[in-house]
Every structure is written in structure tokens, then in C-alpha cells.
Amino acid sequence: MPEFLHELLPDLQPESVPQPPDLALFDSHCHLDLPELWPEWLQHWQQAQAVGVQGCLIPAVQASAWQPLLDFSRSFPEFNIALGIHPWWAAQHDETSLVLLKSLLEQHRSQITAVGEIGLDYALAPETFTRQQLLFEAQLKLAAEFKKPVVLHHRKSMVQLHAEIKRQKFEYGGILHAFSGSPEQGQLFVDLGFKLGIGGTITYPRAAKTQAAVRQLPLSCFVLETDAPAMPLSGFQGQINTPKQLALVFEAFCELRDESPQEIAGQLWRNTLAALSIH
Ligand SMILES: [Zn+2]
């Protein structure tokens, strides 16, 4: 507190003044708009802020979320949003949704940070694959048309995602969300201009491969995420994940690195802005 304030407010103890956290963290993947979090989103966000979370990207999962997210980010522009169709919701979408996505990108270009959450999930039933692929390819094209980064969902599909990004010569990068793989797998996406989204996975002892990637790849490769309400951390299984848990993801991340927490936080923050083209 500046000296003159002490004189003006002699009774105010410095200890009672809330201090902003000295580390700024960015939750690059938080589904604050899903029913598990939405009714109390403000409370979740305030709890996250109290532990240093100062940035947040909310990726949509289906078309019905797009307009509500646009309305939300108009009222709360400190949140970044991504619009897209998640592969789990592929069956409920067709060409009509793609036309709508394109028109929203045209109308709200500057308000929409990225196209996402899009991707391929080959742990789902094989009969969903054709539509998943069609929607992913079309959304990747839309992202290129509007020069937007993408937020990628993957499950048993890293090879196919990588191939399609290369085939389309997509050059706007983004985030490979919920990265869990070897340093070599991560490097393939880093080479395509992507950052690797690191979440609660690294808090599990069984995640040796992903922990090795965090140890071995340069700090410039990573961003942090919670994927709340999904992906509870080790020790919180069965509970709803919330954005304040990002502080614990950060702690686990720091344990795997040699740099100071300050340096790590600063670099991860810059990585997120770069991955999402936020200026
Ligand atoms: Zn997600």
C-alpha cells in the first residue's frame, strides 16, 4: 500500500488488504457453461481467482451453447470463448450447424477466440467415425478461413488428427487439449504450431509418459488447463472438477520442472496468449 494511504487510513492494517496473487495462471480449457458448474459459475470463478487464476477459455461442446456463450462473453469480456462441435456431440449435428458456425464467425469474429472444442474420438463407437471426421474436417477448414486457432479433443486419434492438420496445411495452431502422451508424440504437434494442454493427468502416478513429456520438452510447449467439470485430479476422484484446481495442476507441473514457479507461470501465461492469438 502506498505510504500516503497509511496516513489517510491509519486504522487500516496492511494485512487486511487483500493482495493479488503474485502468479497469474490461465485455465485454457474450462467448461464453465456446463450444467455441473453453470449455476454457481461466479462462485467457482471467484475461488479460482483467489488462487491466481486470471484467464479462462470456455470451449463450447455443441451448437446450442454458442449463442449463450456469445452473450456471456459480451457481459464478461475477461473470458475467452471458443465455438465448435465436440466429437461426443457429433450425432446431433450436421451441415446446418456448420452453416450456423460460419455465420457466427462472420458476425462475431473478434469476440470468438478459437474454434473448439473439435476433434476425433476413436474410443467412441465406430459407427460415429464418419460424421466425426466430416465435422472435424469442416471445422478445421472454417478455422483456417477465419484465421482462428483450434482447441483439439483427442482419444486414440492423435495420428489421424495430425495427418488431417498436415493434409489441410492448417497453420493457425492452437491447443492439443488434455495432452497425454510421450515427448515424441507431443513434439509432433508442437512442430505443427500447437501447444500441449496439461491438466490433472499429471497428478496421477500412472501418468509417467505425460510426466516425461513435461520434464523433457521446452517450457514453451505447454499451457495449463483443468477441463472442469471433467478430469478430477488425483485424490479428488468422483468429485466435480473446478477451475480453482488449476493451482494444484500448476504445483504438480512445477514439481516436474527445474525453473522457478515465477518463471514457469510467466512463460505458461505467454504460451497461452500465443496459442490463442490473444493480444
Ligand atoms: Zn473439453
Side-chain angles (χ1 to χ4, degrees):
M1 182 188 297
E3 202 49 45
F4 73 94
L5 273 180
H6 277 296
E7 286 159 25
L8 289 172
L9 305 163
D11 294 336
L12 189 60
Q13 297 300 310
E15 298 79 45
S16 68
V17 179
Q19 296 295 311
D22 57 347
L23 300 173
L25 304 176
F26 201 118
D27 191 349
S28 68
H29 199 108
C30 177
H31 295 286
L32 208 53
D33 65 326
L34 289 187
E36 294 92 332
L37 299 176
W38 185 241
E40 292 179 324
W41 75 266
L42 183 58
Q43 194 187 327
H44 292 304
W45 181 238
Q46 285 170 343
Q47 288 171 353
Q49 284 180 306
V51 294
V53 183
Q54 294 184 29
C56 181
L57 175 85
I58 310 174
V61 296
Q62 56 180 330
S64 61
W66 297 343
Q67 194 56 54
L69 274 180
L70 284 164
D71 296 342
F72 179 71
S73 86
R74 198 169 298 116
S75 305
F76 301 97
E78 63 269 37
F79 289 91
N80 293 94
I81 59 167
L83 302 193
I85 302 160
H86 189 295
W88 292 1
W89 282 263
Q92 292 96 297
H93 296 83
D94 55 20
E95 279 294 325
T96 325
S97 311
L98 294 169
V99 172
L100 174 61
L101 182 56
K102 181 172 178 169
S103 86
L104 292 177
L105 281 161
E106 276 163 359
Q107 291 167 58
H108 308 285
R109 188 171 188 153
S110 64
Q111 210 192 325
I112 300 167
T113 298
V115 172
E117 175 172 356
I118 64 173
L120 296 170
D121 194 320
Y122 288 155
L124 297 180
E127 56 265 30
T128 66
F129 291 1
T130 307
R131 189 180 293 257
Q132 283 195 50
Q133 286 154 1
L134 183 146
L135 291 172
F136 173 63
E137 289 168 20
Q139 291 182 97
L140 191 63
K141 279 200 192 93
L142 275 180
E145 188 180 336
F146 290 91
K147 299 184 167 53
K148 294 291 181 188
V150 292
V151 179
L152 292 179
H153 171 98
H154 71 90
R155 219 162 32 140
K156 302 187 193 299
S157 61
M158 265 198 269
V159 172
Q160 292 84 354
L161 287 175
H162 186 268
E164 182 60 21
I165 291 163
K166 274 192 89 164
R167 192 183 72 80
Q168 288 196 22
K169 300 188 173 64
F170 181 76
E171 56 183 22
Y172 300 97
I175 296 171
L176 181 64
H177 141 68
F179 174 70
S180 68
S182 66
E184 294 75 21
Q185 286 170 313
Q187 185 66 52
L188 285 174
F189 281 85
V190 170
D191 291 344
L192 291 180
F194 282 76
K195 306 286 185 202
L196 310 174
I198 303 295
T201 305
I202 58 163
T203 63
Y204 288 85
R206 65 168 184 265
K209 238 183 356 177
T210 314
Q211 290 166 353
V214 170
R215 278 200 194 90
Q216 292 170 28
L217 292 171
L219 195 51
S220 60
C221 297
F222 302 106
V223 298
L224 296 185
E225 60 172 57
T226 59
D227 199 17
M231 302 272 282
L233 277 60
S234 176
F236 297 87
Q237 291 95 323
Q239 298 180 30
I240 289 170
N241 197 13
T242 60
K244 72 166 188 280
Q245 298 292 77
L246 195 70
L248 297 178
V249 176
F250 175 68
E251 216 175 275
F253 188 96
C254 288
E255 278 170 25
L256 298 169
R257 301 287 310 190
D258 294 328
E259 299 92 342
S260 71
Q262 284 72 16
E263 188 182 347
I264 294 172
Q267 185 64 51
L268 292 174
W269 181 271
R270 290 189 294 277
N271 292 349
T272 316
L273 301 194
L276 298 173
S277 296
I278 301 170
H279 307 292

